């Protein structure tokens, strides 16, 4: 199985986010952070830095811990609460399906008001 590039990982995350209902996006914090929201709540941050091609998503704390243990390229969330957010970079085992699932789960968690 071919490993995703950082660019592809970010493209998948953006495409998934744009396909979800009620999503808006912009750059409210700094120019290098592409922020996706549902209502007023952030559920995805895509870092526009060629040296750091990551996405940051909300995750259930237990799942976030498991993801960090399972994938070397998943770390505690940058910019946000380290317990509830994970940052994901391209790496071994990180697939298109996983990225899509993480973005959808983040959308669901934020949309549910958690």
């Amino acid at each position: 199985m071919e490993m995703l590039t950082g660019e592809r990982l970010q493209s998948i995350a953006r495409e998934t986010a744009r396909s979800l209902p009620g999503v808006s996006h912009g750059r409210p914090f700094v120019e290098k952070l592409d922020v996706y929201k549902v209502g007023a709540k952030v559920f995805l941050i895509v870092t526009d830095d060629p040296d750091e091609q990551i996405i940051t998503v909300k995750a259930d704390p237990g799942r976030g811990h498991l993801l960090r243990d399972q994938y070397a390229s998943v770390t505690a969330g940058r910019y946000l609460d380290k317990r509830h957010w994970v940052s994901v970079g391209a790496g071994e085992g990180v697939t298109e399906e996983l990225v899509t699932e993480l973005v959808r789960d983040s959308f669901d968690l934020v949309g549910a008001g958690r």
Side-chain angles (χ1 to χ4, degrees):
M1 176 169 34
E2 191 177 321
M3 193 166 80
L4 290 178
T5 63
E7 191 174 315
R8 181 70 185 129
L9 174 141
Q10 290 180 322
S11 176
I12 293 163
R14 284 183 168 111
E15 289 168 21
T16 302
R18 284 192 296 259
S19 75
L20 298 168
V23 170
S24 64
H25 89 284
R27 296 174 186 272
F29 307 127
V30 296
E31 190 56 35
K32 288 191 175 203
L33 298 180
D34 194 12
V35 178
Y36 290 76
K37 296 180 176 183
V38 58
K41 296 193 176 201
V42 173
F43 73 95
L44 169 66
I45 297 175
V46 181
T47 305
D48 279 342
D49 180 344
D51 296 328
E52 189 177 46
Q53 292 180 312
I54 62 170
I55 64 169
T56 301
V57 293
K58 190 165 190 177
D60 173 79
R63 178 143 195 244
H65 183 74
L66 290 173
L67 289 165
R68 289 190 299 276
D69 284 351
Q70 188 172 358
Y71 303 100
S73 63
V74 176
T75 59
R78 298 249 170 93
Y79 320 114
L80 301 162
D81 182 319
K82 308 285 185 224
R83 193 160 125 24
H84 292 275
W85 293 82
V86 293
S87 290
V88 182
E92 191 174 333
V94 176
T95 62
E96 184 171 338
E97 292 78 19
L98 178 63
V99 173
T100 300
E101 178 184 320
L102 291 174
V103 172
R104 288 177 182 271
D105 286 353
S106 182
F107 173 86
D108 289 344
L109 282 169
V110 168
R114 294 191 285 188

